Amino acid sequence: MADTDSGSQNRTVFRTCPLCEATCGLELTVGPQEQIVRIRGDRDDVFSHGFICPKGSTLKQLHEDPDRLRAPLVKKDGVHVEVSWDEAWQAVSDGIGRVIERHGRNALAVYGGNPGAHNLGSMLYNGVVYRSMGSHNKFSASTVDQIPKHVAGGYMFGTPQSIPVPDIDHTDYLVMLGANPYASNGSLCTAPGFPDRLEAIRARGGKVVTIDPRRTKTAENSDQWIAIKPGTDGLLLAAVANVLFEENLVSIDARLASLTAGVDELRTAVAPHTPESVEKATGVPASVTRTLAREIAAAPTAAVYGRIGVNAVEFGTLNAWLIDAINLLTGNLDSRGGAMFTMPATGSATTRGRGGKGKGFAIGRGHSRVSKKPEAMGEYPVAILAEEITTPGDGQIRAFICLSGNPVLSTPHSKQLDAALASLDFMVSVDIYLNETSRHADVILPAPSALQKEHYDIGLYVYAIRNVANFSERVFELHEGQPDEWEILAKLGGILQGLGPDVDPHAIDDAMLRQSIGAAVGTAGSPVHGRDADEIYDLLSAGGRRGPARQMDLMLQTGPYGAGFGANPDGLSLQKLLDNPHGVDLGALEPRLPEALRTPTGRIELAPPLFLAELARLGEKQASMESAGMLLVGRRDLKSNNSWMHNMKVLTKGSLSCTLHVHPDDADRIGVADGGSVRVTSRVGSVDVPVEVTDAVRPGVVSLPHGWGHNVPGTRMAVAAEKAGVNSNILTDDEVIDPLSGNAALNAIPVTVAAL
Ligand SMILES: Nc1nc2c(c(=O)[nH]1)N[C@H]1C(S)=C(S)[C@@H](COP(=O)(O)OP(=O)(O)OC[C@H]3O[C@@H](n4cnc5c(=O)[nH]c(N)nc54)[C@H](O)[C@@H]3O)O[C@H]1N2
Ligand SMILES: Nc1nc2c(c(=O)[nH]1)N[C@H]1C(S)=C(S)[C@@H](COP(=O)(O)OP(=O)(O)OC[C@H]3O[C@@H](n4cnc5c(=O)[nH]c(N)nc54)[C@H](O)[C@@H]3O)O[C@H]1N2
Ligand code: SF4
Ligand SMILES: [Mo]
């Protein structure tokens, strides 16, 4: 939405920030030469109310970055050179065609990276690439991130999108495990201004407890910090559940009690895990654990929430399960101030179909070729990507498509993956930089700048603390001949289908839309059931509209608040969002059970057998967790964003740097001083890194941020190379994964640390 600001030549545009999950509204001032003059928080945004972090305003520098790719690159004699789009598409078609011809479609693989979850075009058109490959080799950043929450929610509530969100604006008692929203601004809990919202809990007399091996800024701003030993949260959570049962503190909401299956099985399963029995492994005094359980139970409302530090670990799914089990046992599931389900404007798996029951969810519909890992949500763990590339045999991956991802820096045992990518027959990246991963690509297709794309957070609103809808028009037009990201993806899909380099992405877009309309008019209960498909198509395409905004309009209009193409004139449509550039607030989360359930039984499954078996496995590992070796964990910094924003000097100048945090006691023992260097060694690799001595880590724990290590040849990120840092994923182990979800264990890595 743009209005010209009278008196000056500037125009003002409102846009949602696409950089992290907080979805902050931005106000951009654009000058007469189509340059960004200023970016600040949009005070009228219905959700973020003006909040902005230091990254939000760097959309200007990102847009202007001379290293950001403007033209396709093709590797010729080992060097990337700029080519025309026609030449690039021909090279993609030839490269993929050759691999399919020689090795079949099972030799194709794809990886979808994190920025795709913040990008409307990718959210809607990555699927074209996946479906068109005709191969099961699908990987994504989900398996270094949140897939444990999908698997836990899937088994407990029926769909992988059935992930409860802590109602932080209304809770009296918030427990956060392995999350540092002061740095990350929140995750699977979309809440712009997260820190302010935490402070509001305390201001209204509530309590915030942070459980983290590091004394993070979040911990510092909490009422209580529990300095747990990495990787042991499952034991702590089991002990909390144990206290709830033993002290008769279980009080499942009356509405949910008759819907809940497995209470007795859970009681039996946690019986061995008393606060006293887990004390040595977790490092948390039994009295602290007992008090925690009693306080959660006694609080008028409470919400337990866990993120990366309890998901990206070996027992990630178990942790996600026990967290929601505790929410349920204490009467805090699906009620105000507890952990709740959203009702997103574009719908989700929990809003579609008949409510209350469904097909349910299961992992293991297939197994990986080499080490037989179970499929989860249609994908395999990215930790096994390297072995699938390097192990000969039928189905060996020979061609790789990387969509907005940098797995060379972001996935475990990355030296091994780096070498594997170098051995491929063909690789194509859709990216904005020539970086550590895309340097292996034979063809790099540059996506436009974020400011040249339309935006709607179709994925992140599924996990937001309020139901909100906000659409952003592009700030800058695409250049003549420059394809939008969705056009690149649709065309790539067409080429994978064998339609050749001249395939028209708009024909693919049309076919997709017609298919979605067909499904909508054919579904009983849809607001357009029985309507004429051509009429709906024409309404959506009015004014020549196409691409993601048109697809999204259909989702909005047929969604829970939808206008239904005239059936509900006050309802939501793309036009309504265009008329409301600061967003539309659809209200606080409301209880949704049992209607949101999609389990085959129509019940909440509190004790899925797979999860009980996993708890038994944890019990067997407990003794080994009591040992005193050094453990590595990660960390995030407010001014960094995974691996790809280190080319912004405004962010990297000053304090932002890649150092190993070491506790003073450990530093003494190792014989290193602040500013000195150490060698950190794990089972799979070792790195040399400067040390910051700080008591903000638990003794026995060292912390290194991920996303660094920009000192490899063949990249084009001049600023990042100046302050390269080291790649922490050289240390993380591809063989330690959460067996249920396939998520990599990126925390609690056994390491040795030696002074240099
Ligand atoms: N040790 C350790 N490792 C971790 C983590 C950790 O906590 N510890 N965290 C993990 C998590 S949570 C995640 S999500 C992953 C992220 O893992 P990835 O998604 O693999 O990596 P990113 O660093 O997000 O890199 C994103 C890539 O997308 C490109 N890009 C940026 N914007 C766009 C765009 O608009 N279009 C396109 N096409 N490309 C774009 C960037 O240039 C970059 O190459 O890292 C994981 N790795
Ligand atoms: N500034 C910034 N913001 C980001 C990102 C970024 O890179 N930079 N990345 C975005 C992405 S992709 C994601 S997924 C989110 C992640 O959002 P968060 O989950 O909030 O991520 P972190 O800040 O890494 O917090 C994880 C915490 O877990 C702790 N931890 C490690 N091991 C354990 C353990 O075994 N037990 C417990 N209890 N804690 C442990 C770490 O010390 C760390 O403080 O952030 C998003 N926002
Ligand atoms: S908190 Fe996230 S969404 Fe908000 S301005 Fe910062 S990077 Fe953008
Ligand atoms: Mo992530």
Side-chain angles (χ1 to χ4, degrees):
M1 173 69 192
D3 34 58
T4 310
D5 145 13
S6 58
S8 86
Q9 302 268 289
N10 294 344
R11 62 188 173 100
T12 304
V13 188
F14 300 101
R15 199 195 190 287
T16 306
C17 176
L19 295 175
C20 86
E21 296 180 41
T23 71
C24 298
L26 304 178
E27 182 194 299
L28 296 89
T29 307
V30 183
Q33 265 81 53
E34 289 296 278
Q35 81 280 25
I36 298 287
V37 176
R38 183 182 66 196
I39 300 181
R40 63 178 181 187
D42 173 12
R43 276 166 298 190
D44 297 321
D45 184 279
V46 297
F47 200 12
S48 62
H49 310 291
F51 179 86
I52 184 171
C53 87
K55 293 184 297 303
S57 65
T58 63
L59 284 174
K60 172 183 162 67
Q61 285 80 4
L62 190 59
H63 182 73
E64 293 167 359
D65 185 353
D67 286 338
R68 189 173 58 76
L69 302 179
R70 266 75 168 177
L73 301 181
V74 167
K75 201 188 260 185
K76 295 184 180 171
D77 300 325
V79 181
H80 283 99
V81 294
E82 289 195 0
V83 299
S84 68
W85 277 97
D86 283 346
E87 186 177 341
W89 285 123
Q90 187 67 53
V92 172
S93 184
D94 291 349
I96 285 176
R98 247 189 336 265
V99 169
I100 293 177
E101 199 184 290
R102 284 194 204 147
H103 306 284
R105 289 190 168 266
N106 285 334
L108 305 179
V110 67
Y111 173 83
N114 171 272
H118 304 252
N119 179 337
L120 182 62
S122 307
M123 286 299 290
L124 294 176
Y125 297 81
N126 272 1
V128 187
V129 175
Y130 301 160
R131 289 189 297 273
S132 305
M133 278 199 312
S135 147
H136 293 295
N137 292 320
K138 202 186 126 194
F139 304 89
S140 84
S142 288
T143 54
V144 279
D145 190 345
Q146 85 291 354
I147 198 167
K149 287 181 91 122
H150 295 300
V151 173
Y155 276 96
M156 293 177 81
F157 309 114
T159 90
Q161 288 182 317
S162 309
I163 298 175
V165 175
D167 184 13
I168 60 174
D169 282 354
H170 302 106
T171 197
D172 298 288
Y173 194 100
L174 180 66
V175 184
M176 288 184 287
L177 299 100
N180 183 15
Y182 272 80
S184 69
N185 277 298
S187 182
L188 291 205
C189 178
T190 293
F194 207 127
D196 298 341
R197 295 175 198 266
L198 291 180
E199 276 149 35
I201 298 174
R202 304 178 73 195
R204 61 179 179 261
K207 180 168 176 179
V208 176
V209 180
T210 294
I211 303 178
D212 198 305
R214 301 188 307 118
R215 194 181 66 243
T216 59
K217 190 160 180 201
T218 303
E220 268 165 12
N221 285 284
S222 300
D223 297 274
Q224 188 183 357
W225 170 41
I226 300 177
I228 194 166
K229 246 171 85 173
T232 67
D233 299 78
L235 293 170
L236 176 76
L237 291 162
V240 167
N242 174 295
V243 174
L244 296 174
F245 284 116
E246 289 304 308
E247 300 190 5
N248 284 320
L249 299 173
V250 172
S251 63
I252 301 179
D253 190 304
R255 183 170 49 92
L256 303 184
S258 63
L259 288 173
T260 303
V263 179
D264 291 335
E265 289 86 339
L266 181 61
R267 178 200 303 266
T268 307
V270 298
H273 304 289
T274 63
E276 293 71 21
S277 76
V278 303
E279 184 177 87
K280 187 158 181 226
T282 60
V284 179
S287 60
V288 171
T289 307
R290 281 193 187 279
T291 304
L292 178 67
R294 288 171 189 155
E295 288 187 0
I296 297 171
T301 64
V304 186
Y305 160 70
R307 223 18 213 112
I308 284 294
V310 292
N311 291 151
V313 288
E314 186 186 340
F315 290 92
T317 301
L318 174 126
N319 291 339
W321 161 54
L322 289 177
I323 283 171
D324 283 321
I326 292 168
N327 283 322
L328 176 68
L329 292 174
T330 52
N332 288 303
L333 185 80
D334 196 41
S335 64
R336 181 70 43 103
M340 306 187 74
F341 296 100
T342 61
M343 181 76 96
T346 49
S348 81
T350 71
T351 70
R352 287 189 276 271
R354 262 191 44 229
K357 257 189 191 185
K359 283 207 304 271
F361 172 85
I363 59 164
R365 292 172 301 169
H367 287 82
S368 67
R369 180 179 67 98
V370 179
S371 58
K372 310 293 174 219
K373 298 291 187 297
E375 159 277 353
M377 288 177 78
E379 58 184 279
Y380 289 106
V382 69
I384 65 161
L385 176 55
E387 72 184 24
E388 290 290 334
I389 296 174
T390 55
T391 310
D394 198 26
Q396 179 182 10
I397 294 170
R398 298 311 310 149
F400 179 57
I401 303 166
C402 189
L403 308 174
S404 52
N406 192 4
V408 166
L409 292 193
S410 53
T411 71
H413 199 170
S414 46
K415 270 211 165 140
Q416 175 180 271
L417 181 64
D418 194 35
L421 294 182
S423 74
L424 288 163
D425 290 343
F426 184 72
M427 174 170 161
V428 53
S429 279
V430 180
D431 209 282
I432 58 171
Y433 285 112
L434 173 49
N435 65 12
E436 299 77 13
T437 297
S438 61
R439 77 194 172 108
H440 292 297
D442 297 281
V443 184
I444 308 177
L445 304 170
S449 145
L451 298 181
Q452 292 175 297
K453 288 185 279 208
E454 297 170 319
H455 187 81
Y456 181 93
D457 278 304
I458 216 164
L460 305 181
Y461 290 146
V462 175
Y463 308 109
I465 59 157
R466 291 184 74 82
N467 293 310
V468 177
N470 197 338
F471 178 78
S472 315
E473 291 184 86
R474 46 182 123 246
V475 178
F476 297 121
E477 290 304 316
L478 294 159
H479 302 300
E480 185 63 35
Q482 181 188 16
D484 202 342
E485 183 141 16
W486 72 268
E487 292 172 304
I488 297 173
L489 295 166
K491 188 153 177 148
L492 201 46
I495 289 173
L496 285 162
Q497 290 167 28
L499 301 174
D502 298 323
V503 59
D504 178 10
H506 296 150
I508 290 174
D509 179 40
D510 262 341
M512 265 173 72
L513 184 70
R514 290 214 179 258
Q515 194 173 28
S516 307
I517 295 172
V521 297
T523 302
S526 157
V528 293
H529 182 222
R531 297 267 295 265
D532 176 30
D534 288 335
E535 179 212 348
I536 305 279
Y537 176 87
D538 291 341
L539 288 169
L540 286 167
S541 309
R545 190 174 288 288
R546 53 198 179 188
R550 184 174 66 160
Q551 306 271 356
M552 195 200 87
D553 196 9
L554 176 66
M555 296 170 80
L556 276 179
Q557 296 223 38
T558 56
Y561 315 84
F565 300 90
N568 170 20
D570 293 331
L572 284 185
S573 62
L574 179 62
Q575 189 55 51
K576 181 148 186 174
L577 298 189
L578 290 168
D579 294 340
N580 289 276
H582 307 290
V584 174
D585 180 31
L586 302 162
L589 304 186
E590 298 289 341
R592 283 200 56 206
L593 296 183
E595 162 270 318
L597 289 175
R598 296 291 186 278
T599 49
T601 55
R603 296 179 145 215
I604 301 168
E605 299 293 347
L606 193 54
L610 272 179
F611 296 0
L612 295 177
E614 191 63 353
L615 184 54
R617 187 175 77 89
L618 174 62
E620 285 158 21
K621 282 204 91 168
Q622 177 170 335
S624 68
M625 292 175 166
E626 292 173 359
S627 76
M630 299 288 285
L631 295 172
L632 173 74
V633 301
R635 71 175 187 270
R636 282 176 164 73
D637 190 290
L638 184 58
K639 288 203 270 176
S640 185
N641 195 24
N642 295 325
S643 74
W644 62 278
M645 286 188 70
H646 296 149
N647 217 46
M648 305 298 106
K649 198 147 229 161
V650 278
L651 294 173
T652 57
K653 71 176 183 213
S655 62
L656 180 65
S657 57
C658 177
T659 58
L660 187 78
H661 284 183
V662 182
H663 189 273
D665 296 352
D666 293 319
D668 279 351
R669 190 174 40 76
I670 296 161
V672 67
D674 193 64
S677 283
V678 291
R679 176 159 300 166
V680 188
T681 305
S682 73
R683 185 188 76 86
V684 299
S686 87
V687 298
D688 294 348
V689 59
V691 161
E692 218 175 310
V693 176
T694 167
D695 68 356
V697 283
R698 228 190 103 87
V701 174
V702 287
S703 165
L704 189 62
H706 73 283
W708 297 86
H710 304 297
N711 49 347
V712 292
T715 62
R716 208 173 288 170
M717 296 180 79
V719 176
E722 279 168 28
K723 202 169 180 177
V726 300
N727 176 1
S728 68
N729 282 313
I730 287 175
L731 299 169
T732 52
D733 192 335
D734 54 314
E735 287 186 7
V736 187
I737 65 172
D738 171 13
L740 298 182
S741 69
N743 207 84
L746 303 173
N747 292 291
I749 314 298
V751 289
T752 55
V753 182
L756 282 179

